[in-house]
Amino acid sequence: MHTEGSDELRVEGIEKIKAVRIEKLEGLRSAGINPYPYRFEVSHKIDELITTEAALTEAKTMLSIAGRIMALRGHGATTFGHLEDRTGRLQFYVRRDAVGDAAYRHFKLIEVGDIIGIRGTLFRTKTNELTLRVDDYSVLTKALRPLPEKWHGLQDKELRYRQRYVDLIVNPSARDVFYTRFRLMDLMRQFLLDRGYLEVETPILQPIYGGASARPFVTHHNALDIDLYLRIADELYLKRLLVGGLEKVFEFCKDFRNEGIDRAHNPEFTMMECYSAYEDYTDYMDMVEEMLRTIAGELTENGKVTFRGDEIDFNTPWTRIRFFDALEQVIGLDFRQMGMEEMLDVASRYQIDLDKITSPAKGLDLIFSEAVEPTLVQPTFVYDYPKALSPLAKDHRSEPGLVERFEPFIGGFEVGNAFSELNDPQEQRARFEEQAAMRSLGDEEAHMIDEDYLRALEYGMPPSAGLGLGVDRLVMIFTDSNSIRDVLFFPQMRPESR
RNA sequence: GAGUCGCUAGCUCAUCCGGUAGAGCACUUGCCUUUUAAGCAAGGGGUACUGGGUUCGAGUCCCAGGCGACUCACCA
């Protein structure tokens, strides 16, 4: 790319800044220095230097670290700067008489944002800052663009989301969120592996979508000439594996739902779904409680997190309340025997759009979301849901009209969904047919009839508990993030114009 | 989807009632061998999101569009 030439003087703005940096890059090349070499021998990460300083200084150990230059302060024949690697930030000190005239001259072609490796020994400056005295350095990567302002960092949320790589360079708080995210996923994975679960993978491209109520993305396979759906859940595949005898399985499942984007929703998001043969939903309430207590214990000092100003405590046993009891507790009415008219009256008190109440079950669902959910700040299980809302859950063993289902709530957020899994193939077929009827009435989110899944159930699926946890939402709670975009590296955005 | 707010230098932000578009950081140049938010000094850098309109004159007022943020409504 040749942007220079006769009108070089007219190159301004970011192009001018890049041109200057390219000029320095060429300066390095003409001095025989490759600005993009292949490797560098790193002896220590910066946090190791900090923690083992005394021994290293005592032994005058020759050290090497690598990272990005975040600050430079030149003073003629000396230069101070800060180098940052994944573990921390360290001051370095370059002297002309230590590195030599030529190397010092070439060092002037290095600037903030470049990645370098340095070798030297530790000392403390007269202001007592731990510093690496540089004997020798290597340019590792020349950067052509300047970093954002060092004090305020990158503030513009749009830029932070679109150019996450820059956000991660300059905003430590952004890095922290993602370290927490992936540590949480590791802890969840280890918790399940420790209990004999097998981590599996199931299809993302599915000929029939199911396992949740949502509109899917559709794509097309050319060779087979069929439409395929990006999965909205992996539930029905994991339960096929239970039929196959795998007994305990889980998957970190990227799901895709073709719906709106807002603070709590991204078109692709991550669920963790797990299933265990010979257990039921009460076992899984215990497990979820223990899992989150374990995770909170590892991620926090005291098992407590602050989310939107509320302190959430994972140490104490969770509140467990039945769906209708929760409604009664908040609203003061028994919804079990309530007629449609009275329900509509209640719904109108909570500013619910009455047109959305297409069935008694839907009305209960909406009233619950509006009136009860926001009150469930401390970890709470709501259980024993109306059957009509749960086509994949098993009938309640003693209460007709209910299913053995629970949802964990934290910080006013629904963070998951679990049940004793319906494994009666005839009952499942009947439930699918109800869904199909709703579909034909125009409910695009109702389930499709999955004949292969029914065939699998006909071979026999052991009594099982199943659970889906919304990973993104849990990360939001553990990082006190207000938006799902803050816990996804690359949230979905409209394409940049131009 | 609705409402509110925002978009000015690479970044962070000013520009008061419509009157020549400014600062800090970054960058360039000079000086400087323990500095540190930024050593000291000087200098360069602008399609004010886009397109219309009003006006002698628009970053500023009006209209339309683009992108985003926040709040609300719905789905995890």
Side-chain angles (χ1 to χ4, degrees):
Chain A
M1 188 166 67
H2 293 87
T3 53
E4 297 183 30
S6 56
D7 54 358
E8 181 181 2
L9 289 175
R10 285 156 58 185
V11 174
E12 293 300 348
I14 182 63
E15 291 308 319
K16 173 71 172 297
I17 291 170
K18 284 171 67 178
V20 168
R21 297 186 81 115
I22 288 169
E23 215 173 286
K24 292 181 176 179
L25 178 147
E26 295 303 341
L28 289 168
R29 282 206 167 114
S30 58
I33 297 165
N34 180 358
Y36 300 104
Y38 297 88
R39 73 185 303 278
F40 180 79
E41 193 68 34
V42 173
S43 75
H44 292 77
K45 302 310 287 182
I46 284 169
D47 65 344
E48 296 173 327
L49 297 187
I50 292 165
T51 53
T52 60
E53 175 198 349
L56 294 170
T57 307
E58 174 73 14
K60 293 192 168 58
T61 312
M62 183 64 65
L63 309 163
S64 59
I65 58 176
R68 192 181 297 272
I69 298 176
M70 300 306 288
L72 273 181
R73 298 176 291 280
H75 310 279
T78 69
T79 300
F80 283 89
H82 278 95
L83 193 76
E84 194 166 291
D85 72 10
R86 201 188 67 182
T87 67
R89 181 181 279 224
L90 188 75
Q91 180 165 262
F92 60 86
Y93 176 49
V94 187
R95 291 173 62 106
R96 181 165 58 204
D97 57 11
V99 299
D101 283 357
Y104 196 77
R105 206 162 51 243
H106 301 145
F107 196 81
K108 292 293 180 194
L109 300 172
I110 294 170
E111 55 211 312
V112 172
D114 292 347
I115 296 169
I116 64 169
I118 54 181
R119 283 172 289 269
T121 51
L122 283 180
F123 76 107
R124 280 191 174 264
T125 62
K126 66 186 182 191
T127 55
N128 203 34
E129 179 162 352
L130 184 64
T131 302
L132 191 86
R133 190 191 314 272
V134 175
D135 285 332
D136 184 23
Y137 71 89
S138 303
V139 180
L140 300 181
T141 298
K142 187 73 187 149
L144 301 185
R145 288 177 182 268
L147 290 182
E149 214 237 356
K150 63 181 159 237
W151 185 242
H152 299 94
L154 191 65
Q155 296 295 326
D156 186 293
K157 288 203 174 197
E158 181 172 357
L159 289 177
R160 293 183 60 187
Y161 297 146
R162 288 191 192 277
Q163 301 182 37
R164 183 69 84 185
Y165 35 89
V166 181
D167 187 33
L168 291 168
I169 291 170
V170 299
N171 291 331
S173 62
R175 289 194 298 256
D176 289 344
V177 165
F178 290 102
Y179 288 141
T180 298
R181 179 186 179 108
F182 295 108
R183 176 102 176 99
L184 180 145
M185 290 175 71
D186 275 351
L187 290 164
M188 200 177 272
R189 172 178 285 115
Q190 197 57 52
F191 182 94
L192 293 164
L193 293 173
D194 286 346
R195 281 158 185 76
Y197 284 78
L198 181 70
E199 183 169 9
V200 300
E201 293 180 296
T202 61
I204 293 171
L205 294 174
Q206 303 181 348
I208 294 175
Y209 62 93
S213 298
R215 294 171 60 189
F217 287 93
V218 188
T219 186
H220 189 80
H221 189 276
N222 289 338
L224 295 176
D225 192 24
I226 53 168
D227 282 342
L228 291 169
Y229 303 98
L230 273 64
R231 66 182 170 197
I232 59 173
D234 57 352
E235 171 157 358
L236 299 182
Y237 281 93
L238 292 178
K239 289 197 280 194
R240 284 173 171 92
L241 299 181
L242 296 180
V243 171
L246 299 192
E247 294 188 350
K248 284 172 178 252
V249 293
F250 74 98
E251 180 173 16
F252 281 105
C253 182
K254 264 293 185 73
D255 291 331
F256 306 85
R257 299 188 184 175
N258 205 340
E259 292 164 351
I261 296 178
D262 65 22
R263 196 176 78 243
H265 299 88
N266 193 68
E268 58 180 290
F269 64 102
T270 304
M271 293 266 289
M272 191 289 295
E273 290 203 32
C274 61
Y275 292 82
S276 176
Y278 313 119
E279 295 189 83
D280 66 18
Y281 76 143
T282 63
D283 296 306
Y284 258 22
M285 278 191 244
D286 294 341
M287 187 184 78
V288 169
E289 191 173 312
E290 191 185 341
M291 178 189 282
L292 287 179
R293 185 165 55 238
T294 303
I295 288 170
E298 293 288 333
L299 292 182
T300 69
E301 292 294 320
N302 54 7
K304 298 176 183 177
V305 299
T306 299
F307 180 61
R308 295 182 183 172
D310 294 310
E311 184 177 79
I312 294 168
D313 187 350
F314 289 96
N315 300 302
T316 55
W318 292 32
T319 302
R320 301 187 184 199
I321 186 165
R322 297 195 302 169
F323 181 81
F324 282 106
D325 293 341
L327 280 170
E328 189 168 351
Q329 197 172 77
V330 172
I331 300 174
L333 295 170
D334 184 358
F335 285 73
R336 266 168 269 249
Q337 306 302 329
M338 188 175 287
M340 197 65 179
E341 205 167 305
E342 191 180 353
M343 185 188 295
L344 290 173
D345 183 52
V346 174
S348 63
R349 272 195 270 147
Y350 285 92
Q351 280 90 47
I352 293 165
D353 182 357
L354 299 185
D355 294 342
K356 285 179 192 145
I357 300 179
T358 52
S359 68
K362 189 76 181 165
L364 286 173
D365 192 30
L366 289 170
I367 292 169
F368 186 87
S369 301
E370 199 61 34
V372 182
E373 264 191 51
T375 70
L376 304 176
V377 173
Q378 291 304 317
T380 301
F381 293 118
V382 175
Y383 66 102
D384 290 354
Y385 279 71
K387 181 174 177 176
L389 294 172
S390 319
L392 299 166
K394 204 166 187 170
D395 283 317
H396 196 280
R397 62 196 73 184
S398 58
E399 299 226 32
L402 299 184
V403 288
E404 296 198 350
R405 171 184 177 191
F406 74 84
E407 294 195 326
F409 289 86
I410 304 170
F413 253 147
E414 175 193 337
V415 296
N417 189 16
F419 16 91
S420 298
E421 299 296 337
L422 175 56
N423 64 340
D424 174 342
Q426 293 170 309
E427 169 71 10
Q428 184 67 75
R429 178 175 293 280
R431 303 263 195 106
F432 273 152
E433 278 165 1
E434 281 169 33
Q435 292 284 315
M438 288 164 64
R439 260 187 104 72
S440 63
L441 291 174
D443 185 348
E444 285 183 81
E445 296 187 350
H447 282 63
M448 306 168 90
I449 295 180
D450 188 335
E451 287 292 345
D452 178 70
Y453 177 66
L454 291 169
R455 178 168 60 192
L457 290 188
E458 287 168 7
Y459 278 96
M461 183 176 91
S464 303
L467 164 72
L469 283 179
V471 171
D472 311 287
R473 289 196 172 172
L474 283 174
V475 176
M476 286 171 68
I477 289 161
F478 276 93
T479 57
D480 199 12
S481 296
N482 189 46
S483 168
I484 193 171
R485 296 183 198 87
D486 294 325
V487 303
L488 298 170
F489 274 135
F490 303 105
Q492 194 63 51
M493 304 281 278
R494 280 181 204 278
E496 288 178 79
S497 48
R498 271 175 275 180

